[in-house]
Amino acid sequence: MADQPKLLNVEQQDDLLLIQLTRPQKRNAINDTLLLSLEAVFSTIPDGVKCVVLYAEGQHFSAGLDLSELQERDVIEGLHHSRMWHRVLDRIQFGTVPVVAVLKGACVGGGLEIAAACHIRVAEQTTFYALPEGQRGIFVGGGASVRLPKLIGMARMADMMFTGRVISADEGIWMGLSQYLVLEEQGLKKGIELAKKIALNAPMTNYALMHVLPRIADSTQSEGLLLESLMATIAQSSPEAKQRLRDFLEGRAKKVGE
Ligand code: 1HE
């Protein structure tokens, strides 16, 4: 509706798409409208965009599910609601381009679930992580029970829910919740810097990292090894890979670390 505040701001910068949560007055709590807006944006990534940076206005990445909408749902409505979260977060994780999330302040509940669906997480020093579902008498419903154990292990996730433990940005980096830790206000700059690097990769490599690597992680060892061989063969036979290998052998490509 026209008089409703905009919950997302989307801006294309060359081959990057910057998506900002713009509900700071509610600490970027995720109501259904915001969740469906995210789905719409991630379903229509413009041609030419090679990486997304997801960040937030205000002091907090996201306070999670908008609890004011958690009205009396019956069982089947609850199932559909959780499955809607799964659909949207799968759209982020298994979309067309990698997503770098820039975290700060609260990254809790559904906010952490969204962050976990992204491919790279940059945390500002103010970030803190929690799963207050345990204290609110509910359970995670946006995919955390599948994605978080892959990042930090099941025991740590269970601890967060059993005890309401709040994880600091420093703890989060060694646990694996974020891959990068930066000073306050430096997150977006770092996120864009990383997104620009990711955008330089061969699209086939980014595709393999987004779509094949997590499937290999879900496979048995023998299935995973076969998937790896198939993916490696497809990737190395692409014209872009051949060109990149020639560039290295003929001294035109950067060495590791340059
Ligand atoms: C909200 C929400 C919310 C803030 N739903 N309205 N998530 C939680 O249990 C986290 C709940 N939120 C908090 O613990 C705190 O708000 C924060 C630590 C994140 C930030 O504190 P603070 O002092 O900066 O803000 P505030 O004063 O608590 O909140 C400002 C406003 O945002 C206030 O509304 P106002 O109209 O009184 O100004 C709050 O009510 C509102 N607000 N968080 C609704 N979450 C797929 S299943 C996922 C399940 C979950 O995510 S459960 C975890 C829910």
Side-chain angles (χ1 to χ4, degrees):
M1 287 200 313
D3 58 347
Q4 294 229 325
K6 225 171 132 214
L7 302 179
L8 278 184
N9 189 39
V10 181
E11 183 196 342
Q12 186 166 351
Q13 272 185 20
D14 303 319
D15 53 5
L16 306 186
L17 196 69
L18 310 188
I19 303 176
Q20 185 185 32
L21 307 174
T22 55
R23 207 187 176 210
Q25 68 285 4
K26 294 288 181 189
R27 308 307 183 248
N28 294 310
I30 312 292
N31 58 16
D32 287 357
T33 310
L34 177 47
L35 190 70
L36 293 173
S37 304
L38 280 171
E39 180 177 37
V41 174
F42 277 97
S43 301
T44 52
I45 301 287
D47 287 347
V49 166
K50 295 189 174 151
C51 193
V52 166
V53 179
L54 179 64
Y55 69 113
E57 185 181 354
Q59 304 301 307
H60 302 277
F61 178 70
S62 172
L65 180 70
D66 188 323
L67 294 171
S68 69
E69 284 190 353
L70 195 68
Q71 74 278 44
E72 291 293 310
R73 288 196 185 101
D74 66 22
V75 173
I76 193 68
E77 287 166 344
L79 271 169
H80 284 309
H81 187 259
S82 170
R83 298 301 284 161
M84 176 172 80
W85 270 74
H86 290 169
R87 190 183 74 227
V88 177
L89 271 53
D90 265 4
R91 177 53 53 198
I92 295 174
Q93 183 179 1
F94 299 116
T96 51
V97 293
V99 184
V100 178
V102 176
L103 312 178
K104 57 181 161 179
C107 180
V108 306
L112 179 51
E113 293 184 302
I114 292 174
C118 298
H119 304 92
I120 299 276
R121 282 158 295 280
V122 175
E124 290 189 4
Q125 197 71 57
T126 58
T127 307
F128 57 94
Y129 310 90
L131 291 172
E133 288 90 337
Q135 277 56 53
R136 307 265 180 254
I138 55 179
F139 190 64
V140 291
S145 62
V146 172
R147 293 192 179 94
L148 277 186
K150 289 179 179 160
L151 296 181
I152 61 175
M154 193 177 74
R156 290 199 182 102
M157 176 178 168
D159 177 26
M160 288 173 78
M161 291 194 70
F162 274 132
T163 67
R165 180 170 176 177
V166 177
I167 309 287
S168 68
D170 287 317
E171 288 173 314
I173 187 116
W174 66 253
M175 279 188 186
L177 283 169
S178 81
Q179 294 102 320
Y180 294 86
L181 180 60
V182 296
L183 295 174
E184 196 172 347
E185 307 288 348
Q186 298 301 307
L188 184 58
K189 184 165 161 257
K190 184 70 181 176
I192 290 175
E193 176 195 318
L194 295 169
K196 284 183 177 167
K197 287 188 185 173
I198 293 168
L200 292 175
N201 288 341
M204 186 69 83
T205 302
N206 284 345
Y207 181 87
L209 290 171
M210 290 176 66
H211 292 271
V212 183
L213 186 61
R215 267 60 182 235
I216 291 174
D218 285 343
S219 305
T220 62
Q221 174 152 327
S222 65
E223 289 163 348
L225 291 174
L226 177 61
L227 271 173
E228 182 186 272
S229 295
L230 293 172
M231 189 62 238
T233 309
I234 293 168
Q236 76 202 23
S237 59
S238 73
E240 180 156 5
K242 289 186 194 307
Q243 181 61 49
R244 285 175 181 239
L245 295 175
R246 256 196 316 274
D247 286 347
F248 175 75
L249 294 172
E250 293 166 14
R252 288 187 300 272
K254 286 182 180 171
K255 294 184 189 177
V256 172
E258 277 181 348

